[in-house]
Amino acid sequence: MIKEDIRQLLAEAIERAQRNGALPAVPVPEINLDHPPDEQFGDYASSIALKLKRAAGMAPMAIAGAISANLELPRSISLVQVAAPGFINFHLSTEWLQEQVEAVLRAGEQHGQIPLGKGERVQVEFVSGNPTGPLHIGSGRNGALGDSLARVLRAAGYDVQREYYINDAGTQAERLSASVYARYAQLLGREVEFPQDGYPGEYVVDLARALVEAQGDRFLHLPQEEATREVGRLASERVLAWIREDLAAMNVAYDRWFSERSLYESGLFTQVLQLLRSRGYVAEREGAVWFTSSDLGHEKDEVLVRRNGQPTYFASDIAYHYEKFVQRTFARVIDVWGADHQGQVPRLKAALKALDIDPDRLTVILYQLVNVVREGKPVRMGKRTGTYVTLREVLDEVGPDPIRYFLVARSPEATMDFDLDLAKKQSDENPVFYVQYAHARTASILRYAGELDYRVGDVALLQAEPELALIRKMVQLPELVEIAAQGLAPHHLPFYAQDIARVFHSFYTQCRVVSEDVALSRARLKLVAACKLVLANTLHLIGVSAPEEMRRPTDSSAEEADLS
RNA sequence: GGCCCCGUAGCUCAGUUGGAUAGAGCGGCUGGCUUCGAACCAGUAGGUCGGGAGUUCGAAUCUCUCCGGGGUCACCA
């Protein structure tokens, strides 16, 4: 990666300057490298001289001069300038840029990949919603974020595993069971009271109806406790199937689905509880079992096993994370949670500490919740109130690509208003189409060129400013992967995607690709082919499709939309 | 009330481990299709970066304070 190369050049220059006395031998801060705000300042700029000012006790311009005098420039750099108040600016050479077209084509799908992670094993756990009802739009945000993050980390050289934790044990699962059983019995004419804390959603009736159709009234002949359990299990499986379908429709993939219940069945839960106990972090009082987290600086103790003998979600989460770190030996674990779970973070970290696992190995990404707005009014969301907008509805209305792009493009900590009516209307002006259109356009040009073989194109012919501007943008993809991976922030990618699409469209308008000039046509086709790859790779990281062609919505369908 | 997140152009949002003149999309205005896809391009208007104080050569970015919005403080998850 060119950016890394330049950082290295600077580091070497500073070291050399310190050795030959041009700079005092003081500690060097991290070398930053940015894209300058104006192209007159070149392609990359470092303010390292300004940062060294205090320690070195020299004027920043003098420091910059000393560093620049000690730079050994490779052919990728055509010019280095020192600019007030102390910036060092680097200009990429035209010939190096031209070569990058071929480098991108050679790298193919690998273009954008960097060795940052060095194969470190990282798990990304995301969505992990209760299988007690269909996913809502907030889970969609979780899925888009988690999946794109996993793709980014993979591109950044990490060994990534994506996991869904199925909360198929505990109170919520029981509530679903009781709710479905009640609806089931009601459908069959029994006078059964619906549980007060049950799930009121219409889908519960659908689940019950499906059971009646598939199994008749056989559960009514079983003891109620057994029937409830059995009905709950089947309903939960069905709900899980919905969840899998919705996520698959959003192009969200998993390597493993991990059952909470399995923690109990395998005995691991008991084992971890015992381990906590043996380390002296467990106390029993008021009939419950407590994690004495206040001993670890946490604000209060937390219940592990309730008075009724049921373990809490927190307790199983401890066992689950023990399983991740100790049994499966992930170096790092990233959990993607809704902000409403923020309270869980410090106590889980305290539990890791109690188990002698470095809490810093766990990173929890908290994303703010999604407010759904319909007809200008917020829609009250909640699985337990039964009134919420399902992810499926939005997928059907808007389609997976815009949703995915829209959800990834915002930083996790920003609260989102998702206006359903707008999203639907907006589909025509959504930025995702802009980027996809650029890709379809590259494909179209290559189709148009037909037999003209761009592989023999001579990149040295690419000298026009729009051509070079496009290449400059194309070589930035690895940097974006670095930024997104280091910051666990995939939302940068859509902005880059729009950037490169814009530069491509501009190139297209200014440079005729297929013309009478066969040699130039071949060179430009080569550039277009490389650009197509970069667009596709970027869209792939976001989880959005890169279409070979796109069809504009027909006028008649637009009229229908207007009428409705 | 304690803790966490947010407040940047009319709207939706980037930029926040301090750096050069604060950006993008949408919307507005002006211009561009006999030519490889006009779902496009070129140009233009639009800002007390919530208010105030401080640190610094330099602050949207760091500190303090105030205002506004959201979240969370369960033997739910």
Side-chain angles (χ1 to χ4, degrees):
Chain A
M1 174 169 49
I2 185 67
K3 186 176 181 184
E4 187 54 42
D5 294 345
I6 297 175
R7 272 195 293 242
Q8 192 58 35
L9 286 179
L10 279 167
E12 287 164 10
I14 292 170
E15 198 192 320
R16 207 171 291 127
Q18 290 186 326
R19 233 182 304 123
N20 63 29
L23 284 180
V26 295
V28 180
E30 194 186 338
I31 296 172
N32 66 314
L33 203 60
D34 305 299
H35 294 282
D38 190 309
E39 63 184 27
Q40 64 164 308
F41 299 127
D43 297 292
Y44 293 93
S46 180
S47 61
I48 186 67
L50 290 155
K51 292 183 192 306
L52 275 168
K53 186 194 95 159
R54 181 161 303 171
M58 293 168 61
M61 286 299 279
I63 300 172
I67 294 172
S68 130
N70 280 281
L71 278 167
E72 282 184 5
L73 294 186
R75 52 195 295 279
S76 54
I77 306 298
S78 60
L79 178 66
V80 173
Q81 292 171 310
V82 170
F87 292 100
I88 304 173
N89 297 328
F90 296 82
H91 298 251
L92 297 173
S93 74
T94 301
E95 61 185 40
W96 182 84
L97 285 168
Q98 291 162 341
E99 285 164 14
Q100 296 319 299
V101 174
E102 284 170 339
V104 167
L105 284 172
R106 267 199 309 278
E109 289 180 5
Q110 318 247 308
H111 174 63
Q113 297 189 3
I114 55 172
L116 179 72
K118 303 189 180 88
E120 186 177 74
R121 295 183 64 241
V122 177
Q123 187 204 50
V124 184
E125 182 219 316
F126 56 104
V127 184
S128 299
N130 287 327
T132 54
L135 293 179
H136 53 74
I137 184 70
S139 310
R141 184 176 198 181
N142 193 321
L145 180 57
D147 183 75
S148 292
L149 180 60
R151 289 167 189 249
V152 163
L153 290 173
R154 201 163 279 177
Y158 291 89
D159 180 3
V160 181
Q161 198 236 26
R162 319 167 205 212
E163 185 153 304
Y164 189 112
Y165 183 51
I166 309 165
N167 305 136
D168 51 7
T171 313
Q172 300 304 330
E174 283 174 13
R175 281 183 191 164
L176 179 73
S177 304
S179 307
V180 175
Y181 180 81
R183 294 296 188 217
Y184 172 82
Q186 286 169 353
L187 283 171
L188 291 167
R190 289 275 178 98
E191 289 281 327
V192 179
E193 204 173 323
F194 192 74
Q196 206 165 17
D197 54 0
Y199 288 97
E202 190 59 30
Y203 68 90
V204 176
V205 181
D206 296 339
L207 288 167
R209 191 172 295 121
L211 282 172
V212 173
E213 281 164 16
Q215 313 246 2
D217 64 354
R218 90 177 173 86
F219 296 112
L220 290 184
H221 307 304
L222 297 173
Q224 184 170 343
E225 194 181 324
E226 186 187 341
T228 303
R229 191 169 56 239
E230 194 61 14
V231 160
R233 193 180 57 77
L234 291 169
S236 165
E237 274 172 15
R238 185 76 197 95
V239 172
L240 199 57
W242 292 344
I243 290 173
R244 288 176 196 261
E245 284 164 21
D246 289 354
L247 291 171
M250 277 210 353
N251 202 16
V252 169
Y254 283 98
D255 300 305
R256 181 162 174 188
W257 296 68
F258 191 101
S259 156
E260 179 185 6
R261 206 188 303 139
S262 74
L263 291 168
Y264 299 105
E265 290 166 354
S266 70
L268 185 71
F269 177 83
T270 314
Q271 195 185 319
V272 172
L273 191 60
Q274 190 50 43
L275 185 58
L276 270 181
R277 197 187 305 272
S278 70
R279 288 175 170 272
Y281 290 110
V282 171
E284 312 206 8
R285 60 174 183 266
E286 301 157 31
V289 179
W290 297 76
F291 172 45
T292 57
S293 34
S294 50
D295 295 351
L296 290 157
H298 192 58
E299 56 189 24
K300 59 182 167 56
D301 292 351
E302 301 285 345
V303 172
L304 294 170
V305 182
R306 290 179 268 254
R307 220 172 336 195
N308 66 7
Q310 287 276 336
T312 59
Y313 175 83
F314 172 54
S316 69
D317 217 15
I318 296 173
Y320 179 40
H321 282 81
Y322 178 87
E323 198 274 346
K324 296 184 188 198
F325 284 113
V326 176
Q327 299 208 314
R328 278 192 279 169
T329 65
F330 285 109
R332 287 180 69 194
V333 169
I334 297 164
D335 291 348
V336 184
W337 294 352
D340 53 337
H341 291 70
Q342 58 183 263
Q344 171 85 343
V345 179
R347 57 181 190 239
L348 182 57
K349 292 213 172 211
L352 292 180
K353 210 185 295 176
L355 291 167
D356 208 22
I357 298 164
D358 180 0
D360 288 340
R361 287 164 66 192
L362 171 69
T363 304
V364 179
I365 297 179
L366 295 169
Y367 63 92
Q368 297 297 317
L369 302 183
V370 181
N371 302 311
V372 175
V373 178
R374 176 169 262 162
E375 287 163 8
K377 281 181 283 190
V379 180
R380 182 82 185 141
M381 301 275 284
K383 213 175 266 191
R384 292 161 217 174
T385 61
T387 56
Y388 63 103
V389 178
T390 64
L391 178 57
R392 171 55 59 179
E393 282 176 74
V394 187
L395 278 167
D396 289 345
E397 272 189 36
V398 189
D401 284 343
I403 290 212
R404 187 73 198 253
Y405 192 93
F406 191 71
L407 292 173
V408 174
R410 274 145 186 81
S411 73
E413 60 267 20
T415 321
M416 274 182 71
D417 281 342
F418 197 98
D419 187 323
L420 278 177
D421 309 305
L422 190 66
K424 197 172 174 181
K425 261 187 278 179
Q426 226 183 15
S427 64
D428 208 44
E429 62 209 30
N430 193 303
V432 70
F433 293 114
Y434 179 78
V435 180
Q436 288 183 315
Y437 180 69
H439 184 268
R441 208 175 211 185
T442 59
S444 170
I445 295 168
L446 293 171
R447 279 195 300 271
Y448 177 85
E451 315 259 296
L452 201 57
D453 187 359
Y454 64 77
R455 282 171 301 182
V456 298
D458 178 6
V459 292
L461 297 174
L462 300 172
Q463 293 176 339
E465 193 40 51
E467 296 165 336
L468 297 174
L470 181 54
I471 302 171
R472 279 180 223 276
K473 196 53 77 175
M474 283 165 33
V475 301
Q476 284 176 22
L477 179 56
E479 293 170 30
L480 264 294
V481 170
E482 180 185 63
I483 289 168
Q486 277 180 336
L488 305 180
H491 70 271
H492 293 293
L493 290 165
F495 288 92
Y496 172 70
Q498 269 170 270
D499 239 21
I500 187 162
R502 180 178 43 248
V503 178
F504 169 73
H505 284 309
S506 179
F507 152 78
Y508 173 87
T509 312
Q510 295 175 75
C511 300
R512 173 84 198 178
V513 178
V514 181
S515 66
E516 294 79 40
D517 186 338
V518 174
L520 184 60
S521 298
R522 286 193 165 125
R524 285 182 171 167
L525 281 169
K526 191 177 245 179
L527 174 59
V528 169
C531 179
K532 179 173 189 281
L533 254 169
V534 177
L535 283 164
N537 290 357
T538 307
L539 285 169
H540 178 75
L541 287 170
I542 300 169
V544 166
S545 67
E548 294 294 311
E549 55 185 333
M550 291 171 76
R551 216 159 46 87
R552 194 173 192 170
T554 59
D555 289 345
S556 59
S557 68
E559 277 167 26
E560 277 169 31
D562 284 346
L563 290 172
S564 63

